[in-house]
Amino acid sequence: MLGNAFLLAFRALRRNAMRSVLTMLGIIIGVAAVIVVVTLGSGATRQVSQQVASLGSNLLMVSVGKRMGPGQVSGAEAFKLADAEALANDVYGLAAVAPVASGSTTAIYANENWSTNVSGTTDAFFSVSNQPVAEGRLFTASEARLGTAVCVIGQTVAAKLFGQQNPLNNRIRLQKLSCEVIGVLKAKGQSTMGTDQDDLVVVPLRTYQRRIAGNQDVNLIKVSVQDGQDTEKVKHEIEGILRTRRHLASTEENNFNVMDMKEIAAMLSSTTQTMTGMLSAVGAVSLLVGGIGIMNIMLVSVTERTREIGIRLAIGALENEVLLQFLVEAVVLSSFGGLIGILLALGTAWGLSGLMQVPFVFQGGIVLTAFLFSAAVGVVFGYFPARKAARLDPIEALRHE
Amino acid sequence: MADHPLLALQGVTKTYGTGDAQMHALAGINLSINPGEFVAVMGPSGSGKSTCMNILGCLDTPSSGEYRFQGVNVGGLTRNQRALLRRHYIGFVFQGFNLLNRTTALENVELPLIYRGMDTATRHRLAKAALDAVGLASRESHTPGELSGGQQQRVAIARAIVTEPALLLADEPTGNLDSKRSVEIMELLTAINRDQGITVVMVTHEPDMADYAKRIISFKDGLIESDQKLKGYLC
Ligand SMILES: Nc1ncnc2c1ncn2[C@@H]1O[C@H](COP(=O)(O)OP(=O)(O)OP(=O)(O)O)[C@@H](O)[C@H]1O
Ligand SMILES: [Mg+2]
């Protein structure tokens, strides 16, 4: 009986090929939208976690202010070099501690100038933030301590100021400071937030404080925890030491923030997941609209094919056979539409992931779900018109014009 | 002949509407038709011919009275049982051809066989044979839009006889055709009745067409006015 229903359904669909295609369009678009969004979304999520992993997941960022994020510093006092030294001496299980003072400055070389971020820090910075040198060398601990006029620049700065020229041993100007380029960092690409991680100049902390900032402030302390150490415990120890050093009463909140990169990773991937979820919901709505489209067309089709149904019933088709035929027509339309949507979506997602530079992550689960859902749409929205067709009175149906 | 007639109507009425609007399309019909007969049904418009045909074809049931098909009381059957009865014993030819459009002649003729659950090869063979019998073997892949009215009606007849039904019902089969095509159709029906022994009941307005039948029943106001058996036909 099902075989017959398929035969009859295919013949009916073929007779109205154009309409069949248009009906499928709603489902095709709905399914494609959901799959493209989910595929790109999981690509983005994977990219986020990869980038965070490249930062070093055992990295703690100690910053001034109550909350993470810019603009929240709200008058809290900056750190000093001594704070970083205290952490390095008193907290057990740290691999390296890098105090950072930074600001935005215009870097000038010959006729070129480029506004970039200048960080004053110690030699520990390079290992903590996982930035090896590509050419030249990094500054040494003694250079950092002495505050010599040397700098290490990122690829972007090198390209903007020097073009094809070799930057090494040339002097660039940062406000009143003229410093010698001793190294160029390896390219790191965009960060998760979309900022260019190669757009920076690194100078010794003391040099920065004396010659650029004109104060002893440190805005950020980057701490890398030894492998196998409990970052949560280390974080608490750091908080304890800093609270004491900053003379906070037990009732007062922290006026600094210790952020675990793992938390940031979790936060960012949950943001991407929320976005993916929301966009998928939009796709799901269009899938639903596609389903209603199928119902609409099937209802029109039942009215238009009343005589045909009359003929079938007169010839001896059972109610259930007519019902099944129309149901199969709807399901074939919707699931075939789903199939086309899936292929279209995978192609589109593959193309877009290349353009957006996120990895292409094939999500078998969502593909299967979308297919089953589109088939279900056919059953649900095809049932009512199919039942209407099956219950027609053959005499009246035959008389229908 | 058989111990009981192929079909028998006993005091059959059909009423439409209720109260003042009530009208009797059939006002009490007694009729029995034996296997192998060729019956023409005549009568003025609105006299109840089509209503009677619908009841004979088990598409409809009487308001009162009894209709027995091969001894079975049709009034006691469910909708599905009547559908099965039609599927296995009755073929229909309608005035308006009623073919599936944009569907080839062959597929149209195959339709009743599909509902009988026949395999593809047998289905093709029988459908081709039926098209051959109505003289349309060369047109099997034409759709109704590509066929003349007479050809369409012959496809409809092929579809009705492909299952070798016990009863062939034709409601004004020549109503839309010119006289030359009508004659072709009548000769076809006569041949089917003669060669395959299929009982034919046909509604017509034209006495010329009725002359092909062996028995003419005239309706008037929902009643049988006359019932003549012709050509020394023996019951
Ligand atoms: N579904 C219906 N509802 C109400 N009245 C109906 C219905 N079907 C038929 N009738 C009425 O029953 C009467 C008989 O109709 P029927 O169709 O049997 O006539 P007929 O003899 O076939 O006429 P014609 O030669 O014009 O086809 C008519 O008066 C018609 O109006
Ligand atoms: Mg009529």
Side-chain angles (χ1 to χ4, degrees), chain A residues 15 307 311 319 321 390, chain B residues 79 86-87 98 101 103:
Chain A
R15 259 188 288 147
R307 262 164 93 90
I311 294 169
E319 229 173 278
E321 289 170 328
Chain B
R79 188 176 143 114
R86 291 197 294 276
R87 176 186 297 186
N98 277 326
N101 50 19
T103 304

Side-chain angles (χ1 to χ4, degrees), chain A residues 15-16 21 66 82 126 156 214-215 235 293 301 310 314 353 366 376 388:
Chain A
R15 259 188 288 147
N16 291 301
V21 170
K66 282 195 173 115
F126 303 103
T156 305
N215 59 38
K235 188 174 157 180
S301 165
S353 65
I366 194 69
K388 194 180 159 198

Side-chain angles (χ1 to χ4, degrees), chain B residues 89-106:
Chain B
Y89 298 102
I90 301 173
F92 291 93
V93 179
F94 308 97
Q95 177 175 2
F97 318 140
N98 277 326
L99 299 174
L100 300 190
N101 50 19
R102 276 172 281 165
T103 304
T104 64
L106 189 70

